[in-house]
Amino acid sequence: MPREETEKRPLAGRFMFDPQDYELLAIVNDVLDRGGYSSFKRVLGPYLHPRGIKEMAATKGLRIAYSVIHLLGSLESGKARDRLGALRALKNETLTAAESSLLNNTARVLLEIMKSLVRAPRGSLRQLKLAHDFRRAVSGKPRIIRSHLRRFHLLEMPEDWSQLAFDDHVHDANTKGRKSPTHLIMDAWIKGLRKLTVVYYNYVSVEAAEELLEAAEIMGVSVRICIELRVEHRGRYIKLLWTPRDVSNNEDFQAFLARPDTAEFMRQGMEASKQQQSYTWSALEKFNASLREEIGACYGVELPEADPKEFLKFVGVGQPSIHHLGYYLAAMVEQLKEDAAESAEAGGLAEEIIDRWLEPERNPDLPNPFIPGSMEDRPLLRRLKPEEMVERIHQMHPSSWISLDMVDLRVEDMLYLLFVCRGRLTHLEVFNLRAYERGMEVDYASALRLQAIINTGNAVQLKRLVRDACNALQSEDDPGWREVHSGLVRLLEDIPGFLARYRKKPLRTRIGSDSTGQSDRRHGMGLVVTDTLPGKARRQLKGECGRARMALPIAVEVAMRRTYAPYSPGGGLSSGLGSRLRVILDALHQGGESRLSWVKERFYVAPENRRNIRTLGGVSRRSVAFTSSLSPRGLAFYWVYMNSTIKNVLKILLGFAPAAATFQLTKDWWLLAWFGPFIWFGITGARNIIQSVLGCGGLKRSPLTKWSSYVSWERVSDSLLWTGFSVPLLDYLVKTLLLDKGFGINTGNNATCLYTVMAVVNGLYIFGHNTFRGLPRRAAVGNFFRSVFSVPLAILFNAAAAAVLGACGVAAVDAILQKWAAIISKLASDCVAGVIEGLADRGKYIRLRMRDLSCKISQIFDAYTQLEMLYPRRNVMELLESPKKLLAVISGRQSDLEKVVIVNALDMLYFWMHQPRSRIVLKRLLQCMTPDERQVFLLSQYVLRREKEVSLLLIEGLVGRKFNLALSFYLANVETYLDQVQTLAATCDASQCRPEYATGFAPHVQEDRQC
């Protein structure tokens, strides 16, 4: 669909999609065309809260789109800082987008949809569908989110983020991977990974480590940096994987790399990498000389010579390898192919080229740096034996993990290497997914058996294993095997000492995918232990074929650990009966908050029915199974992508039809026959609207926000749809057929039984459709009991109606009430629901505002701390009292701090005027502050009185090019806000502080006050 067609939609198109979809798509494409608005870069600043003033600058979709575009841009190292800023903004935007129970899963879906949107063909139907998908996903509805998770081949993760999802071997763009460190971390979080080990060849640069660790800190992913080293053993190279410990954060790792011994080691690693890359350049020359004609003839194209400069540009910041060369040549072949469809299916072309023409064994005429002795002047790191390399690492950084790559190693090799390295090999990489899929020999069964023998300290079994290994090597004539045999003989004489080295620090296991993010013929990054996933995700895995997500032949025993936090003192249960109740609850582990975690016990070779480690990546991301859009020919497509207004009307009509038919066919009184369905729907609609408005603040809401902006009309239409089908169920089947005609129960002889049965059936019905819609189990159960709780109220309404009718002299009161029984039961149920769900909405918004305001107030006190540190000889309180003097002082020395102070105040102004429940939460937070903290907060808001400086900042692009709305909002409301906040602060009573709001924002203020 060309873009010009999106502005003038055909008549049929008006029934599909929403105007907001076209608006979002037009803005995203405009950003793509321009390469990003420079004026929006400031919107990505860490101090601009996603729910604050920048909501007036751009829609959430645009802000997320800009962040994704910026992050997925160039892989050049010079843009790492921009990528990190985009990632930080992206996380903030997506994690605050949803208001449902599936917060993390909604954020994952939003990121994946926006990634696909910016990569989809410009102006295509796929782009439009993704724009609609994005807007639907923002709602966070469980059924929608789970549907998108399945479409994008993502597994639902627990919302407490307790899953065991990991990958001990991946690559980024600094080696042979496709993704920058920031992009890699983002994708890892989208997949649900919590722990990641990124492998670098021979050395790691300061820039790569800094970007990786900072990105991991932003997304909350635990990352280890690992360096792959090749050492000589039995006349060939084997791999050791070195992971420095106790340097996992950015500052510690930078200090570690700056040490002289580490810097020298990295320099020698660069020399080893350069020699390793020499084969790639030789292969490139051979391609230009002879291979290009052979490869071109094979694929029916005429390949030109490869330009080394273009190849380096293709590699980017990585280390040139035959992996890069294979993908570079595959790209050349695909560009020359005439059959576009064939080219699109040529995902495995690169690996085919590598296997057939580029592997060292295919080119024996080229010097092979991967075989010891094949090249002269080997670098120092290439001349070391395993025990020498391990000893050097130990001398340089004793707290290290050193793993042994098990590819092409026999059990005799494992025993020998563990022995000669004197217990300093801490891990065995028993399973490498890429090696397994390529058919390389990995004796993981023997490795796990050996690991179990060593960790259990079983000297008898170890002796038998070593003797069997010695006997197997007696007939070997190879000098390398003779050396191994000699070492195993020495091991026989020192088995107690060997086991003692692993007594305190057992030999551990590593499992990784060795993913580069490029091949669609291999399972990608990420592994997960299925026992730690939610029930829906486990059932989904059982229904999938093995090719989609492979079950590894290795399993792990896991133990669940739950940590309980007792009630804090002063939390409302601190005296008398409350104190005794708190002791009982703590003893039963029911008090306070609990945190779930999983502990890995042991790995073992598992039969197919007990395998519990699955890949998170699929074999082919390009296949139809992994697309995010439905077929435009199916009925499901027309329903999913229908215009929202039309869809909501159809839902209401679909629910209205059975309700109207029931009243028409079963009621002989014209009032009920014609107006019954309207009364029924009016009760439901009014309840939804009132509960939404009251949950967001009711009459105390901000006058700047209309009541209708708080109402989700899709939620109202869903309620009306399902309530329509409850009319024939409750009024005809239950009340008339079952109770009245079946058991003779009516309002005249047993109103209590009548309303109880109707309430229970209604509760079961609500529970059923809530479960079908994918709502949380807690909400479904709560809605069941809400109907049960409505029984006394229904009886009360029935009695009141009977009294009124009797007082008016109406005859046959029981007969009239029997006709109205279903509506009375409905009214009682919705009254209870209005109270319960209104309070639930209120609690939800209070939790959201508590999170938003706590973050913003913490930033306010952080800025105050910076002022105190910058001006140790000044009284910062006095500066805050005079905004003019404050801005004059800090503008000359710290212009960024001036903007931070203004931005924080603008965000607080927006919260107060626009965000539901901000006022009550701010009041509670102020009550829990000390007088000095309250004064700091209040004085920090006075900077808004500097209209010239604040207006200039908005005009210069703080919130983007469209600053008019934000500027007029600020000028019109600043004085009202400051007066109201000052009045609120003056009336705060510290004795009303609730413990859950006492967060201690500014400990430095408390220390000053105590001094």
Side-chain angles (χ1 to χ4, degrees), residues 642-704:
M642 184 181 295
N643 180 279
S644 296
T645 302
I646 298 176
K647 184 190 292 188
N648 290 336
V649 171
L650 288 178
K651 287 180 182 179
I652 296 172
L653 293 177
L654 186 61
F656 189 83
T662 302
F663 279 105
Q664 277 286 337
L665 296 175
T666 61
K667 308 301 178 189
D668 52 5
W669 187 13
W670 65 270
L671 180 63
L672 283 179
W674 290 101
F675 293 99
F678 294 100
I679 297 173
W680 191 279
F681 270 49
I683 293 172
T684 301
R687 185 260 298 175
N688 275 274
I689 294 173
I690 292 173
Q691 106 187 19
S692 297
V693 174
L694 291 179
C696 295
L699 298 177
K700 296 181 180 180
R701 69 183 188 274
S702 170
L704 298 182

Side-chain angles (χ1 to χ4, degrees), residues 53 56 906 909 947-948 950-955 959 962-974:
I53 190 69
M56 307 189 80
L906 283 172
L909 168 63
E947 292 186 359
K948 178 181 178 181
V950 177
S951 300
L952 184 61
L953 192 60
L954 291 170
I955 292 171
V959 291
K962 298 180 180 179
F963 61 85
N964 297 344
L965 185 61
L967 181 59
S968 60
F969 161 75
Y970 157 69
L971 294 174
N973 297 285
V974 59

Side-chain angles (χ1 to χ4, degrees), residues 285-391:
E285 293 177 359
K286 184 174 181 179
F287 167 79
N288 287 335
S290 59
L291 289 180
R292 68 185 183 90
E293 296 180 359
E294 183 179 344
I295 297 175
C298 179
Y299 295 107
V301 294
E302 186 175 348
L303 291 173
E305 290 189 1
D307 185 354
K309 292 182 180 179
E310 289 296 322
F311 173 61
L312 269 181
K313 185 177 179 181
F314 177 84
V315 173
V317 296
Q319 301 179 22
S321 64
I322 59 172
H323 185 87
H324 289 109
L325 183 57
Y327 277 87
Y328 178 70
L329 299 180
M332 293 174 60
V333 172
E334 290 186 355
Q335 287 179 358
L336 295 171
K337 276 183 173 290
E338 295 181 357
D339 188 348
E342 183 182 355
S343 175
E345 298 295 331
L349 179 59
E351 291 195 18
E352 183 177 320
I353 291 175
I354 294 171
D355 293 339
R356 292 184 60 181
W357 288 286
L358 301 182
E359 288 287 358
E361 54 267 24
R362 301 287 186 181
N363 300 286
D365 54 320
L366 300 181
N368 189 352
F370 303 102
I371 298 178
S374 65
M375 301 186 72
E376 299 179 357
D377 300 327
R378 283 189 295 164
L380 176 61
L381 290 188
R382 285 287 191 265
R383 299 199 296 267
L384 297 180
K385 292 186 176 181
E387 58 270 28
E388 296 171 340
M389 179 67 78
V390 168
E391 179 63 26

Side-chain angles (χ1 to χ4, degrees), residues 524-744:
M525 170 179 62
L527 305 167
V528 65
V529 180
T530 57
D531 300 333
T532 65
L533 293 173
K536 285 184 172 61
R538 294 198 300 270
R539 290 191 290 272
Q540 177 185 340
L541 286 172
K542 288 182 180 180
E544 288 183 352
C545 59
R547 185 171 175 79
R549 287 187 181 91
M550 187 178 76
L552 271 58
I554 295 175
V556 60
E557 290 181 356
V558 292
M560 185 176 67
R561 179 170 60 192
R562 189 177 291 277
T563 305
Y564 293 89
Y567 283 109
S568 59
L573 296 173
S574 56
S575 62
L577 179 62
S579 178
R580 289 189 289 273
L581 179 60
R582 176 169 58 85
V583 172
I584 296 173
L585 291 175
D586 286 343
L588 296 174
H589 302 303
Q590 297 299 316
E593 295 182 355
S594 65
R595 180 175 178 80
L596 176 67
S597 59
W598 298 88
V599 180
K600 290 182 283 190
E601 299 287 347
R602 71 178 184 92
F603 290 86
Y604 62 95
V605 179
E608 189 170 352
N609 61 340
R610 294 184 60 188
R611 296 176 180 178
N612 66 345
I613 302 179
R614 301 288 286 264
T615 61
L616 288 173
V619 172
S620 177
R621 300 287 301 210
R622 299 184 183 180
S623 66
V624 176
F626 303 118
T627 59
S628 62
S629 303
L630 299 175
S631 170
R633 297 182 180 179
L635 182 61
F637 165 78
Y638 291 103
W639 178 253
V640 170
Y641 297 105
M642 184 181 295
N643 180 279
S644 296
T645 302
I646 298 176
K647 184 190 292 188
N648 290 336
V649 171
L650 288 178
K651 287 180 182 179
I652 296 172
L653 293 177
L654 186 61
F656 189 83
T662 302
F663 279 105
Q664 277 286 337
L665 296 175
T666 61
K667 308 301 178 189
D668 52 5
W669 187 13
W670 65 270
L671 180 63
L672 283 179
W674 290 101
F675 293 99
F678 294 100
I679 297 173
W680 191 279
F681 270 49
I683 293 172
T684 301
R687 185 260 298 175
N688 275 274
I689 294 173
I690 292 173
Q691 106 187 19
S692 297
V693 174
L694 291 179
C696 295
L699 298 177
K700 296 181 180 180
R701 69 183 188 274
S702 170
L704 298 182
T705 308
K706 296 181 179 180
W707 67 270
S708 57
S709 62
Y710 292 136
V711 179
S712 170
W713 297 109
E714 187 174 0
R715 176 179 176 178
V716 173
S717 65
D718 285 339
S719 295
L720 294 177
L721 167 66
W722 292 103
T723 196
F725 289 97
S726 67
V727 176
L729 173 67
L730 298 177
D731 187 77
Y732 181 69
L733 293 178
V734 176
K735 187 197 74 174
T736 304
L737 290 184
L738 178 64
L739 295 178
D740 191 11
K741 295 184 178 180
F743 295 97

Side-chain angles (χ1 to χ4, degrees), residues 216-236:
E217 183 178 357
I218 291 171
M219 298 303 295
V221 178
S222 176
V223 164
R224 296 280 185 181
I225 291 178
C226 179
I227 300 174
E228 181 182 298
L229 303 164
R230 293 177 181 263
V231 292
E232 186 176 353
H233 171 66
R234 287 199 295 109
R236 61 194 182 96

